Structure formats: C-alpha cells, structure tokens
C-alpha cells in the first residue's frame, strides 16, 4: 500500500523525480524484473525525471498514486497553456504539491467544483478521476477532443459497468475519450474499475501514452470516432465500414439510422411493439480478434456464429413489448419485426456474460424461457450479418419502407 506522504523535499524526491541524470535513471529496481509488464515505461518515466525509486532500491510499482502526485505529473508532461493558476482549495495550503495542483487547474485538467468538500491531495487517485482529468486536459487544448466529449454523452461505453452498474452517465464522455484513444484500457474481465485506485506502474505507462495523444487530433482515433457516431446516431456504421446512406426514394433526402432509432412501431400480426435503439457493426478478424473496440463486447471464442471475411457481424439493441405471452417464438419473431434488417437472431458468447448483456435466446423457444411476457418491456441484443461486397447496393440493407420512402438504407458505393 502507498505510504502516507510527508511534506518536505526528501519525501518529494522519493516519489516524483526532479530531473535526475540519465545515468541515474538507468539503475534497475529490484522489484521490477525484466518480465514486468510496465518495465519499459517505468524506466522511461524515471529517465525523464517524472519518477524516482526509493532508497532501498525499489520502485514499488503497485503503490497507489495520490491526487496531488498525478496533478503534479500532468502539469509536467502537458504542453497546455496555463489559463488560470489560482486555486479554491484551502486544504493544499503548505502542501508540497500546491504549485503543480494549481497549474493543473489552470491547464484544464482539474475542475475545482468537482471537489467542493476539499481536494484531499493525499487521497489515492481513482481510475474514474484519471480518465476525467486526462480527457478534460485534452479538451482544454483541442476543440476536436472538446467536441468528442459532447458527442459521447449518450454513447455505448465498452466496459462491463455500463450494463452491470458502476458508471453514471456523466462518466460516459471521459471514459470514451480515455478508452477510444488507448490512454486507458479495461481489465480482462471486461470491467474498467472506475473506483479502483491507480498504481505507480499504471501511471508510468499512461504518462507515455498521454504525451503522444496530446499531439494528435480526436479524429485520428478510430475507436473514439465510432463511439462518437454511436453517441450521435446510435450506430457506428459509417465510421466502422465504407457504407453510406441512400436517399429516400423519390427525393433528395438522405436516410439515416437515427431517423429510425428509438421510434416505437407495431409488429406484424398484432404481436407487440418494437423499438430499435442501436446498431453496432463489428469488424472481426477472428473470434479472438476484432479491429474495433466494440468487438470485445459481443464476440469471444465461443461466439454462436462464424466470423467470415465476406461479412460483418452486426448487433442490434431493441425493446419489445409483447401483446401476449405465446405468439413470439423463435420461428415467429423474425417474421414479426416488419423490417428487413431488424429480423435478428439470438446469439451467445462468453463476452455476453462478461459485459452483462441481455440477448435474444439463441436456441430455446422464447415461450419456454419466459423471455417475452405480455406488456413487459424487454430490452435485448440480437445478431445480423452485413455483406462486405461492393456492387449496386445489393450488398447493403435497409430498415423499413413506410409511405414513399425507406427510413434507413445503406450500401458500399460502387466504384469502377
């Protein structure tokens, strides 16, 4: 566990470096073996003077970073302009990190109103705080990242806490930027661990990433672009694939998924009401590898359907409110959804459990499982395939043909 910091230069030097020589930085630490996952980043951070080891020859990679320490580190690596270095935190007066904390506020990393009860500088930093501070710092220096925060307020965040609980909607934009740029990643079990403390080893790795990300544009990051599109329209179709939307038949109006999403419509044969919320396209290379971050939410080695180079795996989130307890069976459901691409199938995978997804049953009749119940809204995910081929719109699909036009229609443009 992290030792409580004492004020004074000797303590500061043991925790955060002060620009020591490259020769000193080359010293190895007896608790950071060659096999340590963060060894290169730790040595790099020490070489740049951000960290120092301890007198006993250790680095203590699992020790927790405090709010004050991370604020000071951000003020050192950031090229943000200090707009305002004043502070409203009474509890940092006389603290060794006061100057760096105030600089971080001025650089846009910290928002004093988030800590109305005091900054508590020696409290362990959480991963939620880390994500918010870094995303806010990027937004303060770059309009693209500022817009990304706005675009992802209602996005799907690919972490287990999104469905299992542990996140609030206010977390979505900051985690989206942190995950979408690769600044931070989730754990193997799919969780992000927003309330977990952050270690010295993790910070050493993340600092090197931040130095690179701050020099780029938000649009440089594919996963972030997908999360932005999902937040704005409900799908990542355009950012994840070369598809484009078609015009409404007989007009010059371009169709779009968001013109169809979140609008309830009656199912056929008076079987209920359906509302489609999201459509996530996964560009999978295999069942163990996807090109986009969203893939890990749905596909794992035991995924029900094949991963084939000629098709995308697509996942639709919908809500159905049945009018009875018996008519929506495996066979009846696809024929009742009315629209071409909403006639999805059930699926399963280990990822489903890991991320807490509710999915349409893959095999059993819905009646037997009690999945659908009269007048009870059931929100779930289902699966479809989307062709990758090019040619005259035959590769695309659509959602609905009401009145004189298609609500949402798309394909890969044909080029000679």
């Amino acid at each position: 566990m992290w030792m409580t910091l004492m004020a004074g230069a000797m303590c500061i030097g043991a925790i955060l470096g002060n620009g020591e020589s490259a020769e000193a930085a080359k010293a190895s630490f007896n608790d950071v073996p060659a096999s340590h996952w963060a060894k290169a980043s730790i040595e790099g951070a020490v070489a740049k003077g951000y960290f120092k080891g301890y007198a006993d020859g250790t680095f203590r990679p699992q020790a927790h970073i405090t709010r004050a320490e991370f604020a000071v580190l951000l003020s050192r690596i950031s090229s943000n302009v200090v707009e305002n270095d004043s502070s409203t935190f009474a509890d940092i007066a006389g603290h060794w990190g006061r100057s760096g904390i105030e600089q971080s506020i001025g650089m846009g990393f910290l928002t004093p109103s988030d800590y109305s009860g005091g900054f508590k500088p020696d409290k362990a930093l959480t991963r939620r705080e880390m994500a918010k501070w870094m995303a806010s710092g990027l937004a303060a220096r770059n309009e693209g990242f500022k817009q990304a925060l706005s675009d992802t307020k209602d996005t799907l965040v690919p972490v287990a806490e999104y469905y299992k609980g542990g996140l609030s909607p206010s977390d979505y934009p900051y985690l989206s930027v942190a995950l979408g740029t690769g600044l931070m990643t989730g754990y193997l079990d799919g969780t992000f661990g927003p309330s977990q403390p952050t270690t010295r080893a993790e910070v050493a790795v993340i600092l090197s990433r931040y130095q690179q990300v701050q020099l780029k544009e938000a649009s440089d990051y594919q996963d972030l672009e997908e999360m932005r599109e999902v937040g704005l329209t409900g799908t990542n179709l355009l950012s994840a694939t070369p598809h484009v939307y078609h015009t409404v038949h007989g007009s010059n109006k371009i169709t779009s998924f968001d013109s169809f999403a979140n609008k309830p419509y009656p199912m056929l044969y008076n079987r209920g009401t359906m509302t489609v919320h999201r459509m996530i396209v996964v560009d999978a290379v295999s069942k163990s590898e996807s090109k986009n971050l969203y893939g890990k939410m749905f596909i794992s080695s035991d995924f029900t359907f094949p991963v084939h180079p000629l098709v995308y795996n697509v996942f639709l989130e919908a809500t159905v409110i049945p009018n009875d307890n018996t008519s929506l069976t495996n066979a009846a459901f696809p024929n009742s959804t009315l629209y071409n691409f909403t006639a999805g199938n059930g699926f399963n995978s280990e990822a489903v459990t890991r991320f807490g997804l509710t999915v349409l049953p893959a095999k059993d009749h819905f009646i037997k499982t009690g999945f659908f119940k009269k007048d009870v809204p059931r929100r779930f995910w289902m699966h479809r395939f989307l062709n990758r081929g090019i040619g005259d719109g035959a590769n695309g699909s659509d959602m609905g043909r009401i009145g004189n036009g298609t609500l949402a229609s798309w394909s890969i443009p044909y080029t000679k």
Side-chain angles (χ1 to χ4, degrees):
M1 296 295 292
W2 184 254
M3 297 174 64
T4 303
L5 293 175
M6 300 293 291
M10 289 181 64
C11 184
I12 298 170
I15 308 303
L16 303 174
N18 294 296
E20 71 270 37
S21 69
E23 289 301 318
K26 291 179 181 178
S28 60
F29 302 106
N30 56 37
D31 59 347
V32 185
S35 60
H36 194 282
W37 66 274
K39 180 177 175 62
S41 295
I42 289 171
E43 292 179 345
V46 172
K48 292 174 182 177
Y50 301 145
F51 282 102
K52 276 189 176 182
Y54 290 85
D56 61 0
T58 63
F59 180 78
R60 302 180 191 175
Q62 293 304 115
H64 296 162
I65 284 288
T66 66
R67 289 173 176 172
E69 290 162 9
F70 195 61
V72 171
L73 287 167
L74 288 176
S75 72
R76 290 182 179 179
I77 69 169
S78 175
S79 54
N80 286 19
V81 175
V82 178
E83 300 290 347
N84 178 11
D85 62 356
S86 63
S87 172
T88 58
F89 297 133
D91 60 351
I92 66 171
H95 192 276
W96 67 266
R98 176 177 178 174
S99 176
I101 295 168
E102 292 178 346
Q103 284 188 41
S104 289
I105 294 171
M107 289 176 168
F109 291 103
L110 284 167
T111 302
S113 60
D114 288 344
Y115 300 94
S116 57
F119 185 60
K120 298 180 177 60
D122 298 325
K123 185 173 182 178
L125 181 80
T126 66
R127 286 170 57 81
R128 173 186 280 111
E129 289 174 302
M130 174 178 276
K132 183 172 185 177
W133 291 12
M134 291 191 295
S136 297
L138 291 171
R141 64 174 285 116
N142 187 299
E143 282 296 320
F145 283 107
K146 182 178 180 180
Q147 185 62 48
L149 288 178
S150 177
D151 294 345
T152 53
K153 288 180 179 178
D154 191 33
T155 196
L156 173 66
V157 185
V159 296
E161 289 90 350
Y162 185 86
Y163 284 109
K164 290 185 174 182
L167 292 182
S168 69
S170 62
D171 294 323
Y172 298 168
Y174 306 110
L175 266 64
S176 295
V177 170
L179 293 167
T181 57
L183 279 171
M184 301 178 73
T185 59
Y187 295 109
L188 293 177
D189 63 357
T191 63
F192 181 79
S195 300
Q196 295 297 313
T198 307
T199 68
R200 280 163 59 86
E202 290 171 332
V203 170
V205 172
I206 290 170
L207 288 178
S208 63
R209 294 174 183 168
Y210 187 87
Q211 287 178 306
Q212 299 302 314
V213 174
Q214 70 177 337
L215 302 177
K216 296 186 177 182
E217 300 293 326
S219 57
D220 292 333
Y221 295 95
Q222 172 71 24
D223 288 318
L224 180 56
E225 287 295 279
E226 291 185 32
M227 284 186 243
R228 293 174 70 174
E229 186 186 358
V230 171
L232 293 172
T233 71
T235 183
N236 63 337
L237 177 69
L238 302 186
S239 52
T241 80
H243 286 81
V244 297
Y245 290 113
H246 295 165
T247 57
V248 175
H249 181 70
S251 76
N252 60 358
K253 182 180 179 181
I254 301 293
T255 67
S256 63
F257 180 79
D258 56 315
S259 67
F260 174 82
N262 298 310
K263 296 177 175 62
Y265 66 86
M267 301 174 73
L268 294 176
Y269 316 114
N270 194 35
R271 286 174 175 161
T273 300
M274 186 173 193
T275 305
V276 178
H277 305 292
R278 292 185 174 123
M279 180 174 71
I280 303 297
V281 182
V282 173
D283 189 359
V285 177
S286 67
K287 290 188 179 184
S288 59
E289 181 184 357
S290 297
K291 293 182 179 180
N292 45 355
L293 192 58
Y294 278 126
K296 69 177 185 178
M297 292 190 70
F298 304 95
I299 298 177
S300 52
S301 60
D302 59 345
F303 179 53
T304 303
F305 293 98
V307 171
H308 194 279
L310 296 181
V311 295
Y312 295 104
N313 284 278
V314 183
F315 302 88
L316 294 102
E317 187 179 33
T319 294
V320 167
I321 305 176
N323 285 340
D324 60 62
N325 290 320
T326 60
S327 62
L328 288 177
T329 64
N330 275 21
F333 176 79
N335 297 322
S336 306
T337 64
L338 184 60
Y339 301 142
N340 177 7
F341 209 67
T342 58
N345 297 298
F347 68 98
N348 209 342
S349 70
E350 182 273 332
V352 166
T353 302
R354 196 175 349 128
F355 285 87
L357 306 183
T358 299
V359 301
L360 203 60
K363 295 180 179 180
D364 297 330
H365 285 283
F366 304 154
I367 294 175
K368 293 180 179 179
T369 63
F371 190 78
F372 289 127
K373 295 180 180 180
K374 181 181 179 181
D375 298 329
V376 178
R378 169 66 87 171
R379 187 161 177 156
F380 58 91
W381 288 91
M382 55 187 175
H383 175 266
R384 290 284 292 176
F385 285 115
L386 178 63
N387 291 336
R388 294 175 183 263
I390 298 175
D392 296 330
N395 61 299
S397 193
D398 55 34
M399 286 186 176
R401 296 182 181 277
I402 291 181
N404 66 344
T406 300
L407 294 180
S409 179
W410 59 90
S411 71
I412 299 174
Y414 177 76
T415 57
K416 294 182 180 180

